Amino acid sequence: MSSLRLDLTSKIYPEPDSLFSFNSASISTTSCCIDHFDRLPDSLLLLIFNKIGDVKALGRCCVVSRRFHCLVPQVENVVVRVDCVISDDESSSSSSSSGKSRGPFFNIFRFVFGGIVKPLQALGQFLGQTRASSSLASSSSTSSLAVGTDEDGEIDQGGVTHHSPTQVLKNFNEIRFLRIELPSGELGIDDGVLLKWRADFGSTLDNCVILGASSVIQPGSIKPSIGQDNGTDGGFCIGNGGASDDNGSIPESFYTNGGLKLRVVWTISSLIAASARHYLLQPIIADHKTLDSLVLTDADGQGVLCMNKDQLEELRVKPLSASSASKRTLVPALNMRLWYATHLELPNGLILKGATLVAIRPSEQSAAKKDVSDCSWASTAFEEPYRTAAKMLVKRRTYCLEMNSF
């Protein structure tokens, strides 16, 4: 009987350790089969892509998976950074050597600058008191701006493939906010000279604000004495800490020593740069009807062209008038207001010598667009610390000027 007694100590079930090992192996195998990105909703991925913004980074995301490739064209916020300037001769010869079609997210941003780069470089030489060329009005040379990488061996120029902005952006279907950044400002100016502008366009120029200074002294820098400067700075008189011109009057030397001439050159060249940028945006605006905001700026922060939703729609409905002289939008007849200070010290210690603010609007602008006073929009056109400088300047005496269409 004892031989038939059950051995209660015998192991019928596996040890807990072996059971745990078996289950963990099963879980591990199951986990390897799950793509956790597939569990993320499209809305979250699009939020991430919109935070990325950069068109080249989005191009790299596009090759990660088919899902990413389908989602990237739905991005609403896109930033395009231009890398370099090339000549049209080089780009045309290189483009003829390659007829292959390329995917939009491996492409290069090619920005045709239509005869404005070299003329403005010549103007920059004039500002630098070097030999000025007459090519500002007569040069037929054209240049292009490009951004990109060498992908899959598709090389057109200097290891880089070039494409038009329309080609780069054509597969983005829902762009609302587009920012394009040039590698530098078009206007060549001397070191230490300040020149900034902001322009708003519809089908033509709505307004433009220009802030300039013949020299900038950073906070804490040694201030040169008037005796060392012989009483002049950039062709005009320097006031004694601004005390001698508290009424905002322009000194006589400003007219006789080239100060006024220099500011006229700043104004015209800034308007030419702005109108050239505007002209280049036509195909992008026509192709992307979902755009709510378009900004074309540069890495130097020299100039900013802005268009809001209403202005973009205006351009689609009413085509721009092109200049017969070059590839840019025709600048209409203008009314200008000018404010000037020989010496302007900002609260943060920054000093602007020969500080000048110019607020520009078309002479025949509709009443609806003149509902905001010049002082209001002109004083808020720039970021700090230059916004403070503009606010200080508009409190001074105002000088009115006019300019014909060009």
Side-chain angles (χ1 to χ4, degrees):
M1 291 295 293
S2 61
S3 62
L4 297 176
R5 184 179 301 171
L6 294 175
D7 184 3
L8 299 178
T9 62
S10 63
K11 298 178 181 179
I12 300 175
Y13 300 102
E15 292 286 345
D17 290 343
S18 63
L19 178 62
F20 177 80
S21 300
F22 171 78
N23 289 340
S24 78
S26 300
I27 294 172
S28 177
T29 304
T30 305
S31 300
C32 291
C33 299
I34 297 176
D35 184 351
H36 292 286
F37 271 103
D38 287 340
R39 304 173 65 182
L40 297 176
D42 288 353
S43 58
L44 180 57
L45 292 178
L46 283 173
L47 179 63
I48 296 171
F49 290 150
N50 277 297
K51 293 293 184 181
I52 294 173
D54 181 74
V55 70
K56 289 190 288 185
L58 290 173
R60 298 185 186 103
C61 293
C62 202
V63 300
V64 171
S65 67
R66 291 183 179 180
R67 186 186 182 198
F68 280 20
H69 189 275
C70 293
L71 288 176
V72 166
Q74 300 177 41
V75 170
E76 296 180 343
N77 183 29
V78 177
V79 179
V80 181
R81 292 182 175 87
V82 176
D83 290 336
C84 61
V85 180
I86 59 173
S87 70
D88 264 3
D89 294 338
E90 292 171 339
S91 62
S92 60
S93 62
S94 61
S95 61
S96 62
S97 65
S98 176
K100 298 169 62 179
S101 61
R102 302 173 178 88
F105 298 104
F106 301 106
N107 289 343
I108 306 303
F109 184 81
R110 180 173 178 259
F111 213 75
V112 180
F113 209 58
I116 194 63
V117 174
K118 290 185 178 179
L120 287 179
Q121 287 174 345
L123 183 59
Q125 294 174 354
F126 171 78
L127 293 178
Q129 298 182 350
T130 60
R131 181 179 177 273
S133 167
S134 61
S135 62
L136 179 61
S138 61
S139 174
S140 59
S141 302
T142 59
S143 299
S144 302
L145 301 178
V147 57
T149 58
D150 47 52
E151 297 282 356
D152 301 328
E154 298 176 345
I155 300 173
D156 285 354
Q157 172 65 36
V160 180
T161 307
H162 306 294
H163 292 268
S164 70
T166 305
Q167 289 175 309
V168 171
L169 297 170
K170 68 180 180 181
N171 276 29
F172 288 92
N173 306 318
E174 301 181 24
I175 301 178
R176 294 182 58 203
F177 307 99
L178 177 60
R179 178 183 176 90
I180 301 172
E181 185 177 295
L182 306 180
S184 62
E186 299 91 334
L187 310 180
I189 56 177
D190 286 343
D191 292 338
V193 174
L194 172 69
L195 180 58
K196 289 182 174 291
W197 59 265
R198 175 193 165 113
D200 288 71
F201 276 81
S203 59
T204 186
L205 178 69
D206 279 351
N207 60 71
C208 181
V209 184
I210 302 168
L211 177 65
S214 58
S215 64
V216 179
I217 301 177
Q218 298 297 330
S221 300
I222 298 175
K223 302 178 183 179
S225 65
I226 295 178
Q228 291 173 329
D229 287 342
N230 296 323
T232 61
D233 179 31
F236 57 90
C237 180
I238 299 178
N240 185 11
S244 62
D245 64 341
D246 286 343
N247 62 355
S249 299
I250 295 179
E252 185 65 27
S253 59
F254 180 80
Y255 303 100
T256 59
N257 293 343
L260 179 61
K261 178 181 178 181
L262 181 62
R263 279 142 186 87
V264 170
V265 172
W266 285 354
T267 300
I268 294 176
S269 55
S270 296
L271 289 169
I272 290 176
S275 61
R277 292 188 187 188
H278 181 250
Y279 182 87
L280 298 171
L281 296 174
Q282 294 178 89
I284 297 177
I285 295 171
D287 290 347
H288 298 276
K289 302 188 185 302
T290 57
L291 276 173
D292 289 342
S293 172
L294 194 158
V295 175
L296 178 50
T297 184
D298 56 76
D300 295 338
Q302 186 181 92
V304 181
L305 183 148
C306 301
M307 299 182 72
N308 60 31
K309 186 174 183 178
D310 292 337
Q311 292 167 330
L312 291 163
E313 187 58 32
E314 178 185 319
L315 180 58
R316 297 187 188 101
V317 174
K318 182 182 178 182
L320 60 80
S321 298
S323 169
S324 58
S326 59
K327 294 181 179 179
R328 61 175 179 84
T329 302
L330 183 69
V331 177
L334 304 170
N335 288 330
M336 300 186 293
R337 293 189 179 188
L338 183 146
W339 297 270
Y340 175 81
T342 55
H343 181 103
L344 190 69
E345 184 168 358
L346 307 186
N348 67 348
L350 190 71
I351 298 175
L352 306 181
K353 291 191 174 182
T356 308
L357 182 70
V358 184
I360 304 169
R361 275 187 162 166
S363 302
E364 299 180 357
Q365 193 171 58
S366 64
K369 292 185 177 181
K370 290 185 177 180
D371 55 354
V372 180
S373 67
D374 284 345
C375 294
S376 175
W377 60 270
S379 61
T380 58
F382 306 104
E383 299 295 330
E384 294 293 356
Y386 303 111
R387 175 172 294 192
T388 298
K391 289 180 178 179
M392 294 172 67
L393 284 168
V394 297
K395 296 177 181 178
R396 304 174 71 85
R397 179 177 295 180
T398 303
Y399 294 84
C400 297
L401 304 91
E402 295 182 352
M403 183 177 292
N404 294 329
S405 175
F406 63 94

